[in-house]
Amino acid sequence: MNTLLPILCLAWTLLLYFLAKPLYLRYRKPWLSPAIVVPALTIVVMLLAHIPYASYFQQTHWLTWLMGPATVAFAVPIYEYREVARRHALSLGLGVATGMVVAMVSSCLLARMFGFNAEVTHSLMARSISTPFAVALAERTGGSAELVSLFTIITGLVGMIAGDSLLALLRLRSKLAQGASYGAGAHGFGAARARERDSEEGVVASLTLVIAGIGMVVVGPALSELVSRLLGG
């Protein structure tokens, strides 16, 4: 049974995803997204059946590994719409840089407010980029791969669900601004939602999340240390 359980967990996750996806495509409600339905129902089953996380992760870790190639796949629409990226290079660059600083400062302040330790703090500070980039950054700054994965997913889900309302509240009319907001604020989940709204918006969101991810991996460790020192870390 100990050998069969991880395989059953993998089969359950895949089956649930293939059932949840057509449901979401039919009704287009953010809370019906497979990214919400599958983890929520899986957690319920694991709690009721007393399945340890280690047993679940034993075979499903392959799904986490696939997030890396999936993030690289965002380069395809970027190449197809490279003229859009070239036209707005300065705006996107400044926007991503500002978003990186704001994300780290706000996360550090939040961690200080609740008295989190250094590991949780650095995990929070890496949460605002796509998961493969966030894990790479957390490993270099003293964060936890497990924690940053959790924080990143929560950030993406909240951004995807609340994004439309926030953009309406901010009265952003530009497709560039809307796409960049989704890409910088909700990374992969935001890019998926932006593509559903508009093709150009989706391209900008994809471009933003890739630039932000690469930028954070390159300068994130130094920026994280600087922010921590300035804010009393």
Side-chain angles (χ1 to χ4, degrees):
M1 184 63 182
N2 290 336
T3 305
L4 183 60
L5 182 59
I7 298 176
L8 290 175
C9 290
L10 176 61
W12 161 264
T13 303
L14 294 174
L15 175 64
L16 201 56
Y17 173 80
F18 284 114
L19 292 175
K21 186 174 181 180
L23 183 67
Y24 172 70
L25 293 175
R26 179 176 179 181
Y27 294 103
R28 296 290 182 179
K29 300 295 183 182
W31 54 86
L32 290 177
S33 169
I36 298 176
V37 173
V38 176
L41 292 180
T42 299
I43 290 172
V44 171
V45 170
M46 289 177 67
L47 290 174
L48 292 176
H50 303 287
I51 299 174
Y53 175 73
S55 297
Y56 177 82
F57 191 70
Q58 188 174 338
Q59 288 296 333
T60 57
H61 71 279
W62 303 109
L63 301 177
T64 304
W65 179 85
L66 287 173
M67 296 184 71
T71 301
V72 175
F74 282 115
V76 175
I78 292 172
Y79 175 78
E80 293 177 347
Y81 290 87
R82 55 192 178 279
E83 279 302 320
V84 176
R86 190 176 296 116
R87 231 176 19 245
H88 302 290
L90 180 60
S91 299
L92 289 172
L94 291 174
V96 167
T98 302
M100 289 167 55
V101 174
V102 170
M104 281 210 162
V105 170
S106 61
S107 297
C108 190
L109 288 173
L110 182 66
R112 298 289 175 265
M113 185 184 304
F114 288 95
F116 294 149
N117 61 31
E119 183 181 44
V120 177
T121 299
H122 287 297
S123 299
L124 268 176
M125 293 172 71
R127 68 178 167 76
S128 291
I129 49 179
S130 188
T131 303
F133 296 117
V135 170
L137 175 59
E139 289 175 347
R140 296 176 62 191
T141 59
S144 161
E146 291 78 12
L147 283 177
V148 77
S149 297
L150 174 62
F151 295 152
T152 301
I153 290 172
I154 292 174
T155 300
L157 289 175
V158 171
M160 181 181 69
I161 293 172
D164 290 0
S165 299
L166 288 173
L167 291 177
L169 183 65
L170 295 172
R171 297 185 179 181
L172 295 178
R173 306 299 182 191
S174 165
K175 297 296 182 184
L176 174 69
Q178 292 174 349
S181 298
Y182 266 114
H187 36 82
F189 291 111
R193 175 58 185 154
R195 282 199 303 275
E196 292 178 355
R197 289 161 50 97
D198 181 83
S199 60
E200 184 173 338
E201 190 175 323
V203 169
V204 173
S206 299
L207 178 62
T208 302
L209 80 87
V210 171
I211 294 175
I214 295 173
M216 285 289 269
V217 170
V218 174
V219 305
L223 182 59
S224 176
E225 183 178 355
L226 176 62
V227 170
S228 296
R229 286 183 178 180
L230 291 177
L231 295 180

